[in-house]
Amino acid sequence: MPLAACGSGHTAGTINFYTNADSAEIARTASAACNKDAAGKYTVKVHVLPKAADDQRLQLARRLAGNDSGVDLMGLDVVWTAEFANAGWVEPVPDELSAKVQQTTLVGPLASAMWKTDDDLEKRLYAVPAWSNTQLLWYRPDVMQKYLGTTVAPTTWDKMLADTEKIREAGGPSWIMAQGAQYEGLMVWFNSVLVSAGGSVVDPDDASRQTLNDTPEHRAATLKTLQILKSVATAPGHDPSITNSDETAARLGMESGKAAFAINWPFVFASMRSNAAAGDVPFFKEMTAFADLVSGSPSDSELREVNDLVRTRFNFAPYPGVAEGVPAKSTIGGVNIGVASTSEQAGLAFEAAECLTTPASQKIYAINGGNPPVLKSLYDDQDFRAAYPMGDIIGEQLSAGRAATRPASPVYQSISTLVTATLSPVGGWDPESMVDKLADQVQKAIDGKGLIP
């Protein structure tokens, strides 16, 4: 959908909400409910940004740099907070609303919306978290039982690799699906393993410093991370297309029956359920008996019954760790809603943002759109629990000590671009020498000497 030119102006009472294409329909559904509740005080109008995240960011940046007063609300990728706050493009959340959000929101999503500019005394909230996401380990319990004599999922990458090799030697499916293509998915994979290993890309308290090799401990964490990525990408019987694999390819690898394990977002569970019911999953033909139920509007109890069946062939577990007994940290995704600094009706825009992030709105995003909520309270909601049998794990991984955010930096896009370019093709390098090469690229991005996307 083409966007109007910058400087298009605004209409009093109309709150223009720019959001990504994938979430446009659920944004419209939530906005319609908010407009009804507003009783004429304001009307939220949804505008669709491009599908690709880089294009979304560019569209918004051009509008904001052009002082477009027609932008009121923005669906911000969780990695944009620092850049938009430093540029003065997004309004800080008012204290009263900020306090409420901080009391009710899970720690991981909350951290993604906070930043400290040079003018701030301390970190503050620059957007209101709307929904979040976290990757899980997906696995075939039937395959594990047949070849390993257990259905207990591995808790570390090393154990997963060992299990997969045993399955391969016995003639079973041997792929481990991950996002190895040169794009943001590879950055998410690298960051999750790195933070789980005790490392980080930049200093969380000083975004001007890279921390991949600045201490012996950080170097060891980076090296272990690279060794894991290389092992997955080059293991005997690995996915031959892993260097081009994204979330969809990883999903299809599991549904085709060629993989025993996969790292992916929660959307794959509903996909397995519906595709198996349609007869498109070769190892799960018994699901076709539930085709009408799955394509209809099952009750919560019916959905739970079907989900239990799905889990006999396709189950989930927490994100794999690096060291035995040390829980992993999984990189979060999601969207935060910010009020544009160019808006001439910021007060109304914040009222709309608050409505668009209520429990009712977040249930729309979760159940209709497949985007897990950020509110702690919703993880006990019965409708949510019926739709998300993996909800407890998601909630845990979005909590303190388990959620990993991507490097908080105003030049995050450059960091990500250079890291993924340096790591590609994934596994086609020596981990020892790659540590310093990666560190050098990240520092170049920080210093403004790297590739600017």
Side-chain angles (χ1 to χ4, degrees):
M1 175 179 177
L3 297 173
C6 292
S8 57
H10 78 286
T11 300
T14 297
I15 304 299
N16 292 305
F17 178 23
Y18 287 83
T19 190
N20 65 71
D22 289 342
S23 61
E25 286 308 310
I26 55 171
R28 289 191 179 102
T29 301
S31 296
C34 288
N35 292 342
K36 183 177 180 180
D37 291 344
K41 189 175 184 181
Y42 63 75
T43 300
V44 177
K45 183 178 180 181
V46 175
H47 300 264
V48 183
L49 291 167
K51 192 173 181 66
D54 284 350
D55 293 335
Q56 296 163 26
R57 170 178 159 271
L58 185 59
Q59 291 276 11
L60 288 174
R62 285 175 173 171
R63 285 182 173 279
L64 297 167
N67 200 33
D68 185 354
S69 62
V71 181
D72 298 298
L73 292 179
M74 306 174 288
L76 301 175
D77 191 295
V78 291
V79 301
W80 297 345
T81 304
E83 178 186 9
F84 277 54
N86 268 22
W89 290 340
V90 61
E91 290 290 321
V93 178
D95 290 345
E96 185 176 351
L97 177 56
S98 177
K100 179 180 178 182
V101 171
Q102 293 186 56
Q103 290 172 357
T104 58
T105 303
L106 290 162
V107 169
L110 183 66
S112 76
M114 300 193 75
W115 182 248
K116 178 185 180 300
T117 70
D118 290 342
D119 296 327
D120 295 325
L121 296 177
E122 58 186 14
K123 282 187 177 181
R124 64 190 302 183
L125 200 65
Y126 273 94
V128 182
W131 62 81
S132 191
N133 220 338
T134 182
Q135 293 189 321
L136 308 179
L137 171 62
W138 302 89
Y139 68 101
R140 293 278 306 277
D142 54 328
V143 168
M144 292 192 67
Q145 183 63 55
K146 179 178 179 180
Y147 296 103
L148 304 176
T150 181
T151 58
V152 178
T155 57
T156 66
W157 286 96
D158 288 344
K159 182 64 164 61
M160 191 196 321
L161 285 159
D163 284 351
T164 306
E165 178 59 12
K166 291 178 182 177
I167 294 170
R168 185 192 71 83
E169 289 177 343
S174 61
W175 295 3
I176 296 175
M177 307 307 301
Q179 290 73 54
Q182 186 180 330
Y183 79 119
E184 187 63 19
L186 178 55
M187 183 67 186
V188 169
W189 184 17
F190 173 73
N191 189 69
S192 293
V193 182
L194 178 66
V195 178
S196 297
S200 63
V201 177
V202 301
D203 187 332
D205 297 317
D206 182 1
S208 67
R209 291 182 58 246
Q210 67 82 20
T211 49
L212 292 170
N213 67 350
D214 61 324
T215 68
E217 293 77 15
H218 285 159
R219 170 181 280 279
T222 305
L223 177 59
K224 179 61 177 177
T225 298
L226 294 170
Q227 289 169 339
I228 288 173
L229 266 62
K230 184 177 180 70
S231 294
V232 172
T234 61
H238 67 272
D239 170 16
S241 299
I242 193 168
T243 57
N244 293 312
S245 179
D246 59 10
E247 289 88 352
T248 298
R251 172 183 65 80
L252 293 173
M254 288 297 288
E255 292 182 4
S256 70
K258 295 177 180 178
F261 302 100
I263 298 298
N264 220 326
W265 308 96
F267 80 95
V268 297
F269 189 81
S271 175
M272 177 66 76
R273 184 175 59 211
S274 59
N275 289 340
D280 296 330
V281 178
F283 60 84
F284 204 2
K285 293 301 183 184
E286 57 265 48
M287 266 295 292
T288 57
F290 296 90
D292 291 341
L293 178 65
V294 170
S295 63
S297 300
S299 65
D300 286 355
S301 61
E302 290 173 327
L303 188 57
R304 289 191 184 94
E305 181 182 355
V306 173
N307 286 344
D308 287 344
L309 176 59
V310 174
R311 293 181 66 181
T312 64
R313 297 297 185 91
F314 184 65
N315 209 354
F316 48 83
Y319 196 91
V322 171
E324 190 66 51
V326 180
K329 297 183 179 182
S330 177
T331 301
I332 67 169
V335 164
N336 304 321
I337 296 179
V339 172
S341 59
T342 58
S343 174
E344 295 185 12
Q345 42 194 350
L348 276 183
F350 274 116
E351 287 188 38
E354 184 172 10
C355 181
L356 289 167
T357 53
T358 61
S361 292
Q362 291 197 27
K363 282 182 70 172
I364 292 172
Y365 307 143
I367 295 172
N368 295 18
N371 299 304
V374 302
L375 294 178
K376 305 170 188 175
S377 60
L378 282 181
Y379 285 81
D380 293 323
D381 180 87
Q382 292 306 304
D383 293 334
F384 171 77
R385 295 183 71 87
Y388 287 79
M390 73 298 293
D392 286 343
I393 296 177
I394 294 174
E396 289 172 6
Q397 292 189 178
L398 294 176
S399 300
R402 296 294 304 278
T405 55
R406 278 164 274 189
S409 168
V411 293
Y412 173 78
Q413 291 299 139
S414 294
I415 291 173
S416 177
T417 297
L418 288 171
V419 166
T420 54
T422 305
L423 289 175
S424 297
V426 64
W429 26 255
D430 169 57
E432 283 280 359
S433 58
M434 179 55 77
V435 174
D436 294 327
K437 186 175 181 180
L438 268 182
D440 181 60
Q441 292 299 308
V442 171
Q443 195 60 53
K444 283 182 178 178
I446 292 171
D447 295 340
K449 299 175 182 177
L451 172 67
I452 305 300

